[in-house]
Amino acid sequence: MPAFRAPPLGLLLLAATAGGAHAAPAAPLPARCPADAGWDTPSAPHHIHGDTWYVGTCGITALLLASPEGHVLLDGGTAQGAALIEANIRALGFDLRDVRYIAGSHEHFDHAGGIAALQQASGATVVARAPAAEVLRRGRSGRDDPQYGVLEAFAPLPGEVRPIADGQVLELGPLRLTAHATPGHTLGSTSWTWRSCEGRECLDIAYADSLTAISDDDWRFGDEEAHPGYLAAFRRSLDTVAALPCDILITPHPSASGLLSRIGTDADQPLAAPGACRAYADKARARLDRRLAEEEAAAPPR
């Protein structure tokens, strides 16, 4: 098989005439997102490394992994952000209809809200671990989600979701993506790793899911009686992320890993950094410990 070469970037003019079912911005996008960017502030698409492209917004990551046999899309943004993701894919010269699989990080409206629209427009198969798949079918989390009381509902998926297990590999042509169960932020939280080659340089990319211990007012991470095993699973997830093969760290919110300062023509930080996943997990561990201490301090006297 001849070497696959991605289409050139061309003009990053995301016009409404780009095609597809969604409207798209009609003006050129700046190379860098503004400091006050929101989740759905449009971002220009960027090449990351090898087969991997950034097609998300300024506030929410979406990744396209391209191959001659079809593409994999990781995360679908918000309901509003789906149009921006589709426009970015087309602006790069790719066809949304060549997306064969859509997978994701976790089952919240800011990352999964656009999946139904993108699945309908592409015909792709959605892949998820069992706890996330259940939420994707319903379009709403249950009380087993720490943020249940403050989450917005999103469009449920009309069809089946292909299950994937911890450690299972999603294969498409030369693409090999390994799913890693990393529950904590949600039960269905999933991190992904793959090997990306550009010429002779091959690097491990880790799409490490959110590790923040945040919740609504009713959830306590340290309440073993109400949530048996949840805290222990969260701590195992931190260990898992710390040990991921990880030359390049990417996170569902690009700001959590400084991603947008590491890609694009005006990047001012190195793309790859040794120990990035371990540092990401260590910071999350410190935040979790602070949260547990706060819960303990706020608990009524026994």
Side-chain angles (χ1 to χ4, degrees), residues 12-15 24-29:
L12 298 181
L13 300 177
L14 309 184
L29 297 173

Side-chain angles (χ1 to χ4, degrees), residues 53-86:
W53 303 77
Y54 189 88
V55 294
T57 63
C58 286
I60 303 291
T61 299
L63 302 173
L64 186 75
L65 278 67
S67 90
E69 280 74 27
H71 316 318
V72 176
L73 178 65
L74 290 178
D75 273 336
T78 67
Q80 295 76 20
L84 304 173
I85 292 171
E86 180 175 350

Side-chain angles (χ1 to χ4, degrees), residues 3 8 24 34 36 114 126 138 155 167 194-195 207 221 230 234 257 270 277 299:
D36 60 349
V126 175
R138 291 198 311 257
W194 60 96
R195 188 83 163 156
Y207 188 39
F221 286 93
Y230 200 97
F234 201 159
S257 52
C277 279

Side-chain angles (χ1 to χ4, degrees), residues 9 15 17 46 56 64 74-75 129 133 139 157 163 165 174 180 205 213 272 277:
L9 291 181
T17 56
H46 298 289
L64 186 75
L74 290 178
D75 273 336
R129 291 197 309 110
L157 296 183
H180 304 269
I205 299 181
C277 279

